[in-house]
Every structure is written in structure tokens, then in C-alpha cells.
Amino acid sequence: MQIIMSMYRKCLVCDRDFASNDALEHLDRGRRVAYDPVKGRLWLICRACSRWSLVPMESRWEALEELEKLVTDQGRMLSSTDNVALMRAGPLEVVRVGRAELREEAWWRYGQELRRRKERFRKLSVAGTVGAAVAIGSSWATGGLSFVGAWILWESAPGLVTGGARLLRFGRTAWRGQGECTRCGRPIHRIAYSNRQNVVFRAVEDSVEVLVFCPFCGVDDERGLQLRGQEANRAVRRLLAYHHFAGASEGRVDRAARLIEAAGGPERLPSRILSRPKQLDQVGRVGRVALEIAVHEEHEARLLSMEVAELEAHWRREEELARIMDGELTILPR
């Protein structure tokens, strides 16, 4: 029994301990697991070396039942192929062999990130206010600060702290590269965050393109620096993340989620809210939050598709080993 317990508490390849979890009563180790409900396979996936450790057969069955119930009740699809699905179920990342009857919803996690930003921003503001109070108290005690000076410091301190944190996080430039105005041909090498109101977003099929007004030609919805594809996606993500440094309230995130649902998913949102080219302030508060979630999902979906393809390759190799270890002669479909 001691040997069996140690087999699924440590990675069979690198001997690292699997992290504990409280999601499954009969499998209290591993934060990423893989299972095949048809063949009764169960693996723990090591975070350190990415290798799969097959759980001994006598320890699988109750855990498999628990895992299937957890996936059914709480599972959210992140990405999938014809053979494997990567899901989030409670605190676990789950690789399920076979198609899961769940809609792909990677985007909902980014709403949580916006809520966390709001809480971090609140703490930064409080820190700035406390710092101002200490500075004012010290200066008054020595007679070095007037009432007007104290008022200015009190009003500006939270903004200075949060502004400094935002500058450290993002810098001053949302995009830097080699570009030129499509009208006059003059070079444009950067998009500054301070110039974000002169950026136009427009929907092209299922993605967002960026147009930046040329400082020489002026405002023109058809001329300027044009960014497309992944270059545009990255610029939009950075611009919106900078703009939403203070995060978003629970209510606004929920309204943004409903807007995404009404549009038919993140990939269809740009054409829904950008039926015509719009500047940042024209998109609206809820629309901007929804757009940030959508463009982040486009980026994440591309990364997840690569990850799930790699997971499928791992599964094919580990299934061959599991078939031998379980003493079966089943032929893996190709």
C-alpha cells in the first residue's frame, strides 16, 4: 500500500511531489489531471516536467467517478481537438480523453482578472492616501507645510501612486515598430498610451484592426498607421489593459459577459460593437470591457490550441504505455 501511495504522490519521471488539492476526496494530489472515462485511465500531469504518471488501477475508480461528476457540474471548456479536451473544473485543469459536450469558454476567466485589478487598484489608492496622511502629519508637526499644500498633497497622492504603478507596469508605449501613414507615407514608429484616444478600432471578420491618426495628416478614419492580425491584437490588448488599469466592477463585468453572450461569443463581438470604426471613448464602458475580454480570448485561444495539440501527442504516447501497464491489447485509433 505504501508503494502505491507514493506512486501517485510523486511524479514517476522527475520524482517531484504533486501539489495537493481538495477537489477530489479519492485523489487528493495533482492540480492537472487527465482521464479517459471509457477505458478507465487516470493520470496525474507533472507541472515540472509535463510528463504523465498513471494512477494504479486499484486507486482509480472512485476518483474517476468523482472527476466525471466535477467536470459535468463545473467544467468549462478551454480548448479541444477531436480526441482530447482541456477544461477547467473548480481548482483543477482537466484533460478529458474524448469529446466533452461543453461549450468552449476560455474568456470567462479574464473577467475575474478585471475584478482582481479593481481590488489591487483600491489597495494602491489606500496606500497613497495613508502615505499622504503620514507626510502631512510629519510636515505639520515641523511647520513645513501650509494648509493649501496639505490639501494638494492629499488630493494628488492616490493618483501619483496609482499612476506610478501603471507606468511601471506598462511603460509609455503600447506599440513600437516600423510603420507609415497610408496617405502621406511619413513614418510612424510608436503608439503612446497618452495618445490612445486617437486610435480607431474597426472589425474585420472576426478580429480587430487598429488605425492610428497621422500627426501630419490629422483625423481621418481611412488614413494613418494601420495594424492588422496579431500585431493589432497585441496593441489592442495593451491599450485596453492600460485603460482598465483600475479594473472593472462586478456589475460591469457581468454586463460585458452578457454582451458577449448576446453577440454569440467572443469571436463575434467585434462585428457586433464595431459595426463602424470607433475611437476608444465611442465604444462605451461596457463595450470596452467586453472588447478587452474578447481580444484576450482570441490570443489565448491560439495559445491553448497549441497546448491542447501537445497534450494530445502526450496522451497518445501515455496511452500506449497505459495499455501495456494495464495488460490490454486494445489498438489505439489513428
Side-chain angles (χ1 to χ4, degrees):
M1 178 62 71
Q2 183 63 36
I3 295 176
I4 292 174
M5 291 290 288
S6 64
M7 285 180 68
Y8 70 85
R9 290 185 178 276
K10 292 179 178 289
C11 174
L12 295 178
V13 178
C14 68
D15 204 40
R16 296 284 186 90
D17 286 336
F18 290 114
S20 61
N21 75 72
D22 56 3
L24 301 173
E25 179 183 353
H26 294 92
L27 189 70
D28 60 356
R29 293 281 170 165
R31 298 292 177 84
R32 174 175 275 195
V33 300
Y35 77 109
D36 184 335
V38 176
K39 295 182 179 179
R41 314 273 200 236
L42 178 61
W43 297 269
L44 298 183
I45 302 177
C46 180
R47 289 288 191 181
C49 68
S50 300
R51 295 299 299 271
W52 295 27
S53 295
L54 186 66
V55 174
M57 189 175 294
E58 55 269 34
S59 303
R60 291 179 201 168
W61 306 112
E62 292 86 352
L64 283 168
E65 291 179 6
E66 280 188 289
L67 193 53
E68 184 74 346
K69 185 177 187 306
L70 182 68
V71 165
T72 301
D73 294 344
Q74 301 182 34
R76 290 180 181 269
M77 181 80 75
L78 301 182
S79 189
S80 65
T81 68
D82 290 339
N83 296 301
V84 300
L86 175 61
M87 295 174 287
R88 169 74 68 175
L92 301 181
E93 285 188 0
V94 180
V95 180
R96 186 186 190 278
V97 178
R99 295 289 294 183
E101 297 302 320
L102 295 172
R103 186 175 48 175
E104 294 190 13
E105 290 185 349
W107 58 267
W108 66 276
R109 291 187 296 164
Y110 203 69
Q112 296 178 335
E113 165 62 20
L114 287 163
R115 298 184 186 99
R116 286 193 293 268
R117 278 189 217 162
K118 187 172 180 64
E119 180 60 21
R120 287 197 298 266
F121 184 82
R122 184 191 67 79
K123 291 178 179 177
L124 283 171
S125 298
V126 169
T129 301
V130 171
V134 171
I136 291 169
S138 300
S139 297
W140 268 350
T142 59
L145 192 66
S146 67
F147 175 80
V148 173
W151 180 81
I152 292 173
L153 179 59
W154 179 262
E155 288 292 315
S156 62
L160 289 172
V161 171
T162 57
R166 182 155 69 169
L167 181 62
L168 287 173
R169 170 68 179 82
F170 293 98
R172 300 182 185 278
T173 305
W175 173 86
R176 190 183 299 275
Q178 300 296 323
E180 62 181 30
C181 174
T182 57
R183 169 179 285 175
C184 68
R186 286 188 171 92
I188 301 176
H189 298 311
R190 62 191 292 266
I191 302 174
Y193 290 114
S194 58
N195 195 40
R196 64 187 182 278
Q197 295 299 343
N198 288 329
V199 173
V200 172
F201 301 142
R202 58 188 181 190
V204 177
E205 295 180 350
D206 295 334
S207 61
V208 181
E209 289 190 353
V210 171
L211 185 141
V212 183
F213 296 145
C214 176
F216 304 101
C217 296
V219 176
D220 187 333
D221 284 352
E222 297 299 328
R223 297 291 185 268
L225 171 68
Q226 295 182 0
L227 301 180
R228 297 182 174 88
Q230 294 308 313
E231 194 173 28
N233 181 281
R234 184 173 185 273
V236 174
R237 284 188 288 117
R238 288 179 61 83
L239 285 164
L240 290 172
Y242 182 92
H243 193 79
H244 293 142
F245 179 72
S249 66
E250 187 88 22
R252 189 170 297 168
V253 171
D254 288 343
R255 290 194 294 275
R258 288 197 295 270
L259 180 58
I260 293 172
E261 291 278 5
E267 67 282 355
R268 297 183 180 178
L269 179 80
S271 59
R272 170 74 176 267
I273 66 174
L274 300 174
S275 55
R276 59 178 178 82
K278 293 181 180 179
Q279 293 175 256
L280 193 64
D281 59 352
Q282 296 173 327
V283 180
R285 292 181 176 179
V286 174
R288 286 194 296 266
V289 171
L291 186 61
E292 182 177 353
I293 294 172
V295 294
H296 178 83
E297 194 278 339
E298 180 185 342
H299 173 70
E300 188 175 68
R302 190 176 69 260
L303 297 179
L304 284 171
S305 65
M306 292 188 290
E307 181 177 4
V308 78
E310 183 180 355
L311 285 169
E312 179 169 348
H314 278 292
W315 161 69
R316 288 188 177 278
R317 181 180 63 238
E318 298 298 336
E319 169 59 24
E320 291 178 0
L321 294 173
R323 187 174 68 241
I324 296 170
M325 293 173 70
D326 285 353
E328 294 181 7
L329 298 176
T330 305
I331 298 176
L332 184 67
R334 296 292 182 180

